[in-house]
Amino acid sequence: MRKATITGLGKYLPEKEITNKDLEEFVDTSDEWITKRTGIKTRRFAADDVTASDLGVKAAEEALEKAGIKADDLDLIITATITPDMMFPATACLIQDRIGASNAGAFDLEAGCSGFVYGITVASSFIESGLYDNVMVIGTEVLSKILNWEDRGTCVLFGDGAGAAVLQPTEKGGILASDLGSDGSGGDTLYQPAGGSLKPASHETVDNNEHYLYMEGTPVFKFAVKTMGSASLKVLKKAGLDKSDVDMLVPHQANTRIISSAAKKLKLSEDKVYVNLDKYGNTSAASVPIALAEAEEKGLINNGDTVVLVAFGAGLTWASAVMKWNDLK
Ligand code: ACO
């Protein structure tokens, strides 16, 4: 059976860098607290007039160039985001129009920070079935626009950015297995209270800050520690592989303590776990593709390597994928 493989990666981070020290100016926090509890040192924030589709277009164009295909070769664009330009139309359609992907279907996928790994699972199914040959998955977020600056437990954690991948068929290697999970009973620990049909936006919801991201850190932390390791082990088992086969783990970048616990479960040394959380903070659905693109750019992932992607996020959701790296170049 044919498999799907990633043939091009792209990423885009806005230029404006915000350090923990910058946050100290207007949030009751400290560089020491943020560094010790999360591992984050800086994050990037988009300018006021920049949207998720703006960042997504830049990442998508780089991924197309690296894959050596044109926008109108794309059959499908999947965009994972919790900060779409608008509730509708889909941000994927805005990106489709702007890059000129005239032959592609396009839709958004909402699985919080797990969105990109969900997306490549959907993309690889389309490719394995033979329905499509060229699928793009984008993770893009402008989280700075939904942060509540009065909530120091969340506003220091997040950043903006985008990552994209082109997936194409391969007869050898590629995405060997993936696994998706959800537990909606934990949905109220990480959500945006207002703006949907449950609580349409009103003066009252805005006055109550209900249009911002809301998170209960402790239950989400416990959930993340539990799922990141188990989801990685499960997908390895599905692929008939062992944790000793892993050359690189690319986890969702939320907290170094969460990443370390996953690495410990897989018995991985530090050089086999890619971390850029210190530079970009948590960029939600963009975090895994940005990390993957950066790791590949630095020559840390090479053909033949076994790479595990794992993420958790709002929903609650989790997702993992294991691939034998094979970019066909
Ligand atoms: N600066 C200084 N002090 C702070 C800050 C801050 N920014 N935030 C909280 N504190 C204080 C608290 O008020 C508390 O003080 P107290 O003991 O006097 O009451 C103390 O620090 C400890 O607070 P905790 O919430 O217990 O801190 P914890 O060690 O649990 O870390 C954190 C909090 C970093 C948020 C952690 O719970 C976490 O990482 N959770 C997971 C978050 C995450 O990964 N989210 C992913 C979202 S995925 C998606 O789909 C968007």
Side-chain angles (χ1 to χ4, degrees):
M1 190 175 91
R2 74 177 193 166
K3 295 274 183 197
T5 196
I6 291 177
T7 56
L9 285 161
K11 65 173 180 9
Y12 182 77
L13 280 311
E15 267 174 37
K16 189 172 168 194
E17 191 176 79
I18 306 287
T19 65
N20 293 344
K21 287 267 176 216
D22 294 331
L23 294 182
E24 283 180 9
E25 302 290 318
F26 60 101
V27 180
D28 178 17
T29 191
S30 66
D31 175 38
E32 194 200 346
W33 191 94
I34 302 171
T35 307
K36 202 167 144 212
R37 299 292 183 117
T38 72
I40 300 164
K41 294 297 283 181
T42 65
R43 71 284 292 141
R44 304 288 181 88
F45 281 175
D48 288 348
D49 60 347
V50 169
T51 66
S53 68
D54 291 330
L55 304 186
V57 163
K58 291 205 157 93
E61 283 172 343
E62 187 178 285
L64 284 173
E65 196 191 318
K66 295 257 173 78
I69 63 166
K70 293 196 190 72
D72 59 12
D73 293 325
L74 288 174
D75 301 307
L76 179 67
I77 299 171
I78 302 170
T79 299
T81 182
I82 59 165
T83 48
D85 287 24
M86 294 166 271
M87 286 284 280
F88 68 90
T91 298
C93 294
L94 304 176
I95 296 173
Q96 172 274 328
D97 178 46
R98 284 176 55 194
I99 64 175
S102 48
N103 299 309
F107 65 88
D108 283 1
L109 186 159
E110 211 280 82
C113 305
S114 312
F116 178 80
V117 186
Y118 261 72
I120 61 164
T121 303
V122 175
S124 61
S125 308
F126 274 114
I127 290 171
E128 282 172 12
S129 72
L131 199 59
Y132 290 142
D133 286 333
N134 302 312
V135 182
M136 173 168 280
V137 183
I138 302 163
T140 182
E141 303 283 11
V142 188
L143 291 154
S144 60
K145 298 203 185 187
I146 60 162
L147 295 180
N148 180 357
W149 295 108
E150 290 167 20
D151 177 8
R152 66 177 182 169
T154 58
C155 68
V156 302
L157 305 176
F158 297 95
D160 303 338
V166 171
L167 286 94
Q168 295 181 290
T170 181
E171 299 299 330
K172 206 172 136 221
I175 297 171
L176 305 178
S178 58
D179 191 62
L180 307 180
S182 68
D183 177 7
S185 71
D188 58 359
T189 57
L190 179 51
Y191 72 123
Q192 190 175 23
S197 58
L198 177 70
K199 224 180 228 194
S202 66
H203 290 293
E204 194 189 347
T205 63
V206 173
D207 288 345
N208 292 336
N209 287 336
E210 290 175 295
H211 52 302
Y212 291 133
L213 178 152
Y214 171 84
M215 182 177 74
E216 285 175 37
T218 305
V220 174
F221 186 90
K222 286 183 184 159
F223 159 77
V225 166
K226 197 176 90 191
T227 52
M228 291 280 273
S230 58
S232 305
L233 290 173
K234 191 169 171 199
V235 82
L236 283 168
K237 195 171 171 199
K238 265 190 171 180
L241 295 170
D242 184 74
K243 48 185 185 277
S244 60
D245 294 316
V246 178
D247 295 300
M248 185 59 73
L249 174 71
V250 181
H252 171 46
Q253 311 282 316
N255 188 313
T256 40
R257 291 183 287 150
I258 295 170
I259 294 174
S260 300
S261 81
K264 208 169 147 194
K265 277 222 175 92
L266 268 69
K267 294 195 163 58
L268 292 177
S269 53
E270 252 179 43
D271 59 320
K272 291 189 169 181
V273 184
Y274 194 73
V275 179
N276 61 7
L277 172 75
D278 52 326
K279 292 191 293 184
Y280 308 134
N282 180 348
T283 56
S284 190
S287 108
V288 170
I290 292 172
L292 190 60
E294 211 173 69
E296 204 226 7
E297 221 169 67
K298 288 184 178 173
L300 299 174
I301 297 175
N302 295 294
N303 281 348
D305 284 355
T306 299
V307 180
V308 173
L309 310 181
V310 65
F312 69 94
L316 298 168
T317 58
W318 62 93
S320 52
V322 59
M323 52 186 139
K324 189 60 85 181
W325 198 260
N326 167 22
D327 65 6
L328 306 179
K329 279 172 224 137

